[in-house]
Structure formats: structure tokens, C-alpha cells
Amino acid sequence: MASSVTIGFVVAATAVSGLLAGTNIDRLIVQMPAWEQVGVLAWATYSREADLGNGLVLYPLEGIGGAFLTACAAVAFYFDRTAPRSAAIPIYAAVVLVLGGLLATTQAAPYMLSLREIGNDPAALQRAFDGLNWWGMVRGVFQVL
């Protein structure tokens, strides 16, 4: 049986990453298809208030916090001689997936952050929406897995 430290980090990483996965599923399956129908101007208005408002606190806490806790779980597992070695592949795969999610976020974030400067130009908003949607899907795959 793994140590309480290893188990604690695995549980905490799972909980925080689970919240992030749920956020991604909602965004990919519910929100983005709806915004495609409503239009990019409405999406930009909402996103400026939500994603660039409270989302600037919540989403990094989920993403970076989940990544940090996942890394801590992997380090604790590595040094925990009581942990079952059969857990190695899932724990180390989680680290790879977390890193993939963070890397995809570095590509998605500039599209969202660009909403601060691009005003209400429909073509620029459509490019921002499309870029965020694409990289959001890539990021979502990593973060949900």
C-alpha cells in the first residue's frame, strides 16, 4: 500500500484535475457550439467578463494547481517504496498528459488574451474564436485524459 503522502497527492491531483476536466467537457460540448450559433461578438463580450474576469484566477488555479499536484504525486510515488509498481504507468502518463495540456494552453491563451485589444472587429473576433476553439479542443483532450 502506498504511503499517505503519495495517496494524498494522488487524491488532490485527481480532484483538481477532475474539476478542470469537467470545465473542458462543458466548454467543448456545451459552450463553444452554442457560441458558434450566438456569434463571436456575444462570445467576446461574455469572455471578456468571464474568462478575462474571474476566469483569470480560477482557470490557472485548476490548470497549474492540477499540474503541480500531479507532479508532486509522481515524485512521491517515485520515492515511495511501499507504492505498487503497477501504478507507475498511470502516474507517469498523467504527468505527460498534464504537460501536454499546459503546452496546448500556451497556444490557446493568446487567442483569449487578444480579446483585450482587438475590439469588436468581426474578422479578428472570428480568428480568435477559431484559434481558441481549436487549441481548446487539443487542450481538452489532454486535460480530460
Side-chain angles (χ1 to χ4, degrees):
M1 176 100 176
S3 73
S4 60
V5 172
T6 301
I7 292 170
F9 278 126
V10 168
V11 169
T14 302
V16 174
S17 296
L19 291 171
L20 184 61
T23 300
N24 276 288
I25 290 169
D26 179 60
R27 185 176 297 251
L28 294 173
I29 295 174
V30 177
Q31 293 181 32
M32 294 308 276
W35 288 123
E36 286 178 342
Q37 299 302 311
V38 174
V40 293
L41 183 57
W43 165 76
T45 301
Y46 172 83
S47 294
R48 287 176 180 131
E49 294 298 321
D51 296 299
L52 298 177
N54 291 340
L56 283 178
V57 175
L58 178 63
Y59 300 144
L61 281 175
E62 286 178 341
I64 296 168
F68 175 74
L69 290 168
T70 301
C72 288
V75 169
F77 172 81
Y78 179 81
F79 289 107
D80 185 351
R81 296 298 162 220
T82 64
R85 295 296 103 189
S86 60
I89 291 175
I91 286 178
Y92 297 139
V95 172
V96 171
L97 292 168
V98 161
L99 292 174
L102 289 174
L103 183 61
T105 298
T106 67
Q107 302 305 302
Y111 290 106
M112 179 57 69
L113 295 174
S114 74
L115 294 180
R116 291 178 175 157
E117 283 103 34
I118 61 176
N120 290 328
D121 173 42
L125 290 174
Q126 189 65 53
R127 283 191 298 277
F129 179 86
D130 292 342
L132 180 71
N133 195 25
W134 167 253
W135 284 107
M137 284 189 281
V138 172
R139 175 182 59 199
V141 167
F142 282 109
Q143 292 174 337
V144 169
L145 290 175

